[in-house]
Amino acid sequence: GAGVSQSPSNKVTEKGKDVELRCDPISGHTALYWYRQSLGQGLEFLIYFQGNSAPDKSGLPSDRFSAERTGGSVSTLTIQRTQQEDSAVYLCASSLHTSGELFFGEGSRLTVL
Amino acid sequence: AQTVTQSQPEMSVQEAETVTLSCTYDTSENNYYLFWYKQPPSRQMILVIRQEAYKQQNATENRFSVNFQKAAKSFSLKISDSQLGDTAMYFCAFMKRIGPGGSNYKLTFGKGTLLTVNP
């Protein structure tokens, strides 16, 4: 596609439910990042995929968070047993290995009631 | 660990005037990249400008320019002839290569500066 696509754009869920957020990166981009942006805060790194390398999961805040990237393309971020503090905008970005520049999607706004 | 500090949570400027957003960072690395990203109310982050640390010349992109002071670890963004469309959150970011052969990237963002351009 022309840009990074994320879905859903908005998600409202009840505390304790599981949610899945999807990211479709720019075709050919080998690197994919997930960030979390809470209200009034900067971007908090969650996880990074680069080609076939093991992902850098150092930013995942708890074991309720997981992510996978299938076939080196689409990625899914899963949050299990959601809690109110998980409410945030989840941003996905992709980049070419060599350029360093990140191209962002519009984000998925998660609201946990 | 790298840290990126943006000391101005909010700023405002009159249309057509010039404004400078500050950013400092802390690193022991010698080779790295610096970026300014813009996030308008539409939420999508877009790259404004980038600077390679090995380049002494300051990067410029039309009305946007940076003042890169490597020794001081400072990377400020100057916006000239401010326009209403420049109203956005601006994030400074630091990137370094990590892993075997520098094949991976580590990107750290500051907390952002909310810039409002007033008519």
Side-chain angles (χ1 to χ4, degrees), chain B residues 8-119:
Chain B
Q8 306 147 314
E10 294 186 37
M11 293 190 73
S12 62
V13 64
Q14 292 300 121
E15 195 175 5
E17 294 188 347
T18 295
V19 64
T20 298
L21 310 183
S22 66
C23 172
T24 58
Y25 56 95
D26 184 23
T27 185
S28 58
E29 303 289 325
N30 191 47
N31 295 317
Y32 49 88
Y33 304 83
L34 294 163
F35 304 85
W36 278 98
Y37 280 89
K38 168 185 176 181
Q39 187 180 39
S42 66
R43 207 163 72 194
Q44 187 160 22
M45 297 264 286
I46 55 176
L47 179 68
V48 175
I49 199 165
R50 64 176 280 165
Q51 174 86 39
E52 289 90 347
Y54 66 86
K55 291 186 177 179
Q56 293 185 340
Q57 186 173 6
N58 289 323
T60 63
E61 284 289 339
N62 301 313
R63 298 182 295 106
F64 299 87
S65 62
V66 299
N67 183 3
F68 174 46
Q69 302 288 329
K70 190 172 183 179
K73 298 178 184 176
S74 171
F75 183 61
S76 61
L77 174 70
K78 185 172 82 171
I79 306 174
S80 303
D81 185 25
S82 297
Q83 300 177 1
L84 296 179
D86 295 335
T87 292
M89 196 76 168
Y90 287 82
F91 291 95
C92 177
F94 170 98
M95 175 180 273
K96 69 168 184 174
R97 291 192 172 194
I98 61 173
S103 58
N104 293 341
Y105 293 89
K106 184 83 172 180
L107 185 66
T108 304
F109 285 86
K111 290 191 179 295
T113 296
L114 177 61
L115 175 68
T116 302
V117 180
N118 298 310

Side-chain angles (χ1 to χ4, degrees), chain A residues 52 69-74:
Chain A
N52 295 320
R69 188 180 185 190
T70 54
S73 181
V74 173

Side-chain angles (χ1 to χ4, degrees), chain A residues 35-38 86-91 106-110, chain B residues 39 43:
Chain A
Y35 286 87
R36 178 167 70 176
Q37 185 176 25
S38 302
D86 299 335
S87 296
V89 174
Y90 289 82
L91 293 170
E106 294 189 357
S108 293
R109 182 180 298 279
L110 174 65
Chain B
Q39 187 180 39
R43 207 163 72 194

Side-chain angles (χ1 to χ4, degrees), chain A residues 8-93:
Chain A
S9 179
N10 287 284
K11 175 73 176 179
V12 179
T13 191
E14 293 180 348
K15 178 181 174 181
K17 301 283 189 182
D18 296 352
V19 296
E20 285 189 351
L21 308 176
R22 175 189 169 105
C23 173
D24 202 340
I26 293 173
S27 177
H29 280 193
T30 57
L32 187 147
Y33 301 76
W34 282 99
Y35 286 87
R36 178 167 70 176
Q37 185 176 25
S38 302
L39 186 63
Q41 298 296 311
L43 275 70
E44 176 188 4
F45 168 76
L46 297 177
I47 188 168
Y48 162 58
F49 297 89
Q50 172 59 55
N52 295 320
S53 303
D56 177 356
K57 303 179 181 180
S58 61
L60 294 178
S62 77
D63 59 8
R64 297 186 296 104
F65 288 73
S66 63
E68 62 178 22
R69 188 180 185 190
T70 54
S73 181
V74 173
S75 177
T76 302
L77 177 68
T78 301
I79 309 173
Q80 296 177 311
R81 304 180 304 281
T82 53
Q83 301 179 6
Q84 289 183 332
E85 58 262 32
D86 299 335
S87 296
V89 174
Y90 289 82
L91 293 170
C92 176

